[in-house]
């Protein structure tokens, strides 16, 4: 009887330690990757990057599990990072965002950067269209448009 118990414990230990860890794939893997912001549209206007700015706003979306991950953004004069969550109904939320300010201080941010920072924290849902562009709708009825890099 003792042999069977020992054998059973040995088999159970092997099964426990050999269990392969898996992570669920993202709800929408097309969302993962690098994106360049191309416009922000509200009820009356469409804002695009001003011609005088040398840099684009680039956003990197990385999943940590099937419904959440990290987002980092290289702005024209600074950078930002935060967490995001999504679900199968294409909700998109950025509950917090930390800004690494430019050397000239937060007041020196370009309006293009400010528009991104303001709108991304109001994000409610996303959609990837047939051309592969990402649209993020916001609480203030603005829509942020991104193209995949």
């Amino acid at each position: 009887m003792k042999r069977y118990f020992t054998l059973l414990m040995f088999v159970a230990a092997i099964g426990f330690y050999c269990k392969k860890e898996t992570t669920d794939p993202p709800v929408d893997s097309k969302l993962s990757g690098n994106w360049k912001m191309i416009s922000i549209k509200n009820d009356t206007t469409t804002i695009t990057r001003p011609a005088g700015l040398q840099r684009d706003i680039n956003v990197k979306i990385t999943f940590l599990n099937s419904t959440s991950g990290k987002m980092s953004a290289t702005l024209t004069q600074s950078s930002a990072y935060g967490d995001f969550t999504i679900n199968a109904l294409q909700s998109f939320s950025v509950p917090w965002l930390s800004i690494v300010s430019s050397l000239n201080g937060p007041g020196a941010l370009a309006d293009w950067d400010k528009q991104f920072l303001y709108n991304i924290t109001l994000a409610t849902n996303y959609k990837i269209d047939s051309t592969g562009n990402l649209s993020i709708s916001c609480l203030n009825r603005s829509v942020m448009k991104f193209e995949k890099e």
Side-chain angles (χ1 to χ4, degrees):
M1 187 68 156
K2 190 174 182 180
R3 263 190 241 166
Y4 293 119
F5 180 73
T6 304
L7 180 61
L8 179 64
M9 293 305 289
F10 180 72
V11 170
I14 289 174
F16 178 75
Y17 287 109
C18 292
K19 183 178 179 182
K20 184 178 179 181
E21 287 203 28
T22 60
T23 57
D24 294 333
V27 170
D28 191 345
S29 60
K30 293 181 285 188
L31 190 57
S32 186
N34 296 314
W35 298 90
K36 178 175 75 170
M37 188 167 80
I38 53 176
S39 68
I40 299 174
K41 183 177 182 177
N42 63 31
D43 290 337
T44 58
T45 59
T46 299
I47 303 166
T48 59
R49 185 188 80 183
L53 290 178
Q54 300 293 320
R55 295 173 58 184
D56 291 310
I57 293 178
N58 297 299
V59 177
K60 182 177 184 178
I61 295 176
T62 307
F63 281 90
L64 298 177
N65 59 49
S66 64
T67 59
S68 65
K70 300 284 183 189
M71 180 185 74
S72 60
T74 303
L75 308 176
T76 63
Q77 298 176 0
S78 61
S79 59
Y81 62 91
D83 295 337
F84 72 89
T85 59
I86 66 167
N87 70 22
L89 300 175
Q90 295 186 315
S91 74
F92 186 86
S93 174
V94 179
W96 66 272
L97 198 61
S98 180
I99 304 164
V100 179
S101 186
S102 67
L103 295 175
N104 298 327
L109 289 174
D111 285 339
W112 185 233
D113 293 345
K114 291 176 186 176
Q115 287 292 324
F116 168 80
L117 295 169
Y118 174 70
N119 285 287
I120 198 68
T121 57
L122 299 176
T124 58
N125 63 326
Y126 74 95
K127 176 183 173 186
I128 298 177
D129 65 23
S130 60
T131 63
N133 288 339
L134 169 66
S135 296
I136 297 177
S137 298
C138 307
L139 283 172
N140 61 354
R141 298 192 326 223
S142 292
V143 178
M144 304 173 76
K145 296 268 188 185
F146 297 83
E147 63 183 21
K148 191 87 168 193
E149 290 194 302

